[in-house]
């Protein structure tokens, strides 16, 4: 058996048979230091078989948990198997595995616990998202930036890298529905630090998005409510000598 790496890519996948094999192969070819784990979130198509055939390890959930439950399964797996780093990559081909190296470099350079790929910090807008979604993202970014006291430009991005401290935090507690924005708040409340780095995002390579027009409004209200409820949650008490959060150097 080959030696296991310390880097794990977690790919949450729900009925992504059109793109999953290409996503797994791209990680193998373009980011070879990563092991690949696909979390098949109760798909009704053959996503799990295609992922396994392409060379990924697969956890098949017996029923659909939603994106948060799927990603948290990945955090628990990483914690139990001793991985030092976990990257999240979507199963629909929107992210470029070659850019995982950039996330690692940023984590080292900035000495942070999480690096988030932002489509808004680059001029290469292959997928700026539809205008309604984009407006929602900018509103989340505005509110979240004020709460956490540092600029966050793309808080819904699902292209992220976490270190061991963040893996342990999110294996214990990760938001369920539309989790990405809330996860940034949770990170901040636990005095872990994040930084954003520019990445390209592409249009989904096939399949269906979880966020149709009807769901966008629900998404907006739910996430904003979750942010305000999150504000009221009890925060961990700081230990003497804990690191204080630092701000990113880019603008929103
Ligand atoms: N739709 C859906 N996706 C899930 C679920 N569980 C895991 N996923 C995966 O979560 C990832 C993100 O979901 P997407 O529907 O692409 O969400 P998004 O990228 O914000 O939306 P688009 O920009 O429209 O693609 C994909 O890899 C999905 O396959 C689920 O219960 N429903
Ligand atoms: Mg997507």
């Amino acid at each position: 058996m080959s030696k296991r790496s310390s880097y794990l890519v977690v790919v949450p996948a729900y009925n992504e048979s059109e793109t999953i094999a290409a996503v797994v192969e791209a990680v193998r070819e373009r980011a070879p230091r990563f092991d690949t784990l696909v979390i098949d979130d109760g798909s009704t198509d053959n996503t799990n078989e295609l992922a396994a055939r392409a060379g990924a390890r697969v956890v098949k959930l017996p029923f659909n948990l939603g994106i948060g439950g799927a990603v948290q399964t990945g955090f628990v797996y990483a914690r139990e198997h001793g991985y030092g780093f976990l990257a999240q990559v979507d199963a629909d081909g929107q992210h470029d595995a070659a850019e995982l190296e950039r996330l690692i470099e940023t984590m080292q350079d900035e000495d942070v616990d999480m690096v988030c790929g932002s489509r808004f910090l680059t001029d290469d807008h292959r997928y700026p998202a539809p205008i309604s979604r984009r407006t929602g993202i900018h509103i989340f970014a505005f509110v979240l930036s004020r709460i956490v006291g540092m600029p966050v430009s793309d808080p819904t991005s699902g292209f992220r890298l976490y270190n061991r401290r963040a893996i342990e935090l999110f294996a214990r507690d990760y938001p369920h529905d539309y989790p990405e924005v809330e996860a940034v708040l949770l990170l901040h409340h636990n005095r872990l630090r994040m930084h954003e780095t520019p990445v390209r995002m592409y249009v989904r390579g096939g399949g269906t998005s979880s966020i149709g027009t009807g769901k966008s409004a629900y998404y907006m209200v739910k996430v904003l409510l979750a942010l305000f409820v999150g504000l009221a949650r009890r925060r961990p008490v700081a230990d003497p000598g804990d690191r204080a959060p630092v701000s990113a150097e880019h603008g929103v």
Side-chain angles (χ1 to χ4, degrees):
M1 209 171 98
S2 64
K3 189 178 175 308
R4 194 169 52 67
S5 121
S6 192
Y7 293 82
L8 179 70
V9 160
V10 168
V11 186
Y14 180 60
N15 290 340
E16 301 282 13
S17 57
E18 289 183 36
T19 47
I20 190 68
V23 168
V24 171
E25 278 154 19
V27 173
R28 261 216 338 256
E29 282 162 23
R30 313 184 83 178
R33 72 161 100 190
F34 284 86
D35 295 340
T36 311
L37 177 71
V38 171
I39 312 291
D40 179 347
D41 191 19
S43 297
T44 50
D45 64 6
N46 59 345
T47 293
N48 68 322
E49 288 156 34
L50 294 169
R53 214 178 296 157
R57 287 175 224 170
V58 182
V59 170
K60 172 134 180 80
L61 300 176
F63 46 82
N64 181 251
L65 283 186
I67 171 88
V71 171
Q72 191 174 16
T73 305
F75 281 116
V76 171
Y77 184 99
R79 183 188 62 193
E80 300 304 308
H81 290 79
Y83 283 94
F85 302 91
L86 179 154
Q88 183 187 333
V89 173
D90 281 356
D92 56 9
Q94 284 189 284
H95 305 143
D96 179 355
E99 295 196 304
L100 285 168
E101 283 302 319
R102 160 113 42 83
L103 300 190
I104 295 172
E105 279 162 24
T106 308
M107 181 168 275
Q108 287 165 351
D109 293 349
E110 303 296 332
D111 188 23
V112 289
D113 303 290
M114 170 184 140
V115 176
C116 191
S118 169
R119 79 198 89 180
F120 300 115
L121 295 178
T122 164
D123 292 330
D124 193 346
H125 291 241
R126 289 159 206 245
Y127 177 62
I131 179 78
S132 57
R133 289 269 296 281
R134 217 158 62 227
T135 309
I137 295 171
H138 291 321
I139 293 172
F140 296 148
F142 178 84
V143 174
L144 195 59
S145 300
R146 262 120 209 104
I147 295 174
V148 303
M150 62 174 273
V152 180
S153 66
D154 196 358
T156 66
S157 163
F159 190 59
R160 297 173 167 197
L161 177 73
Y162 302 88
N163 70 4
R164 183 75 197 173
R165 275 158 55 108
I167 290 171
E168 282 173 9
L169 168 66
F170 289 131
R172 282 198 310 275
D173 187 7
Y174 192 72
H176 293 165
D177 219 6
Y178 307 119
E180 287 83 9
V181 182
E182 248 183 289
V184 174
L185 185 64
L186 202 57
L187 196 86
H188 172 74
H189 279 175
N190 284 274
R191 303 180 313 281
L192 269 60
R193 308 183 315 153
M194 74 166 275
H195 194 89
E196 287 187 321
T197 195
V199 294
R200 285 189 296 272
M201 270 188 213
Y202 299 82
V203 179
R204 195 183 229 290
T208 327
S209 168
S210 56
I211 310 168
T213 347
K215 275 202 175 169
S216 290
Y218 168 70
Y219 181 29
M220 196 65 217
V221 174
K222 196 263 160 192
V223 173
L224 281 176
L225 259 176
L227 281 183
F228 292 120
V229 171
L231 267 182
R233 273 177 84 172
R234 195 135 54 118
R235 299 170 195 202
V237 180
D239 294 318
D242 266 5
R243 290 187 301 175
V246 294
S247 59
E249 74 243 356
H250 57 257
V252 179

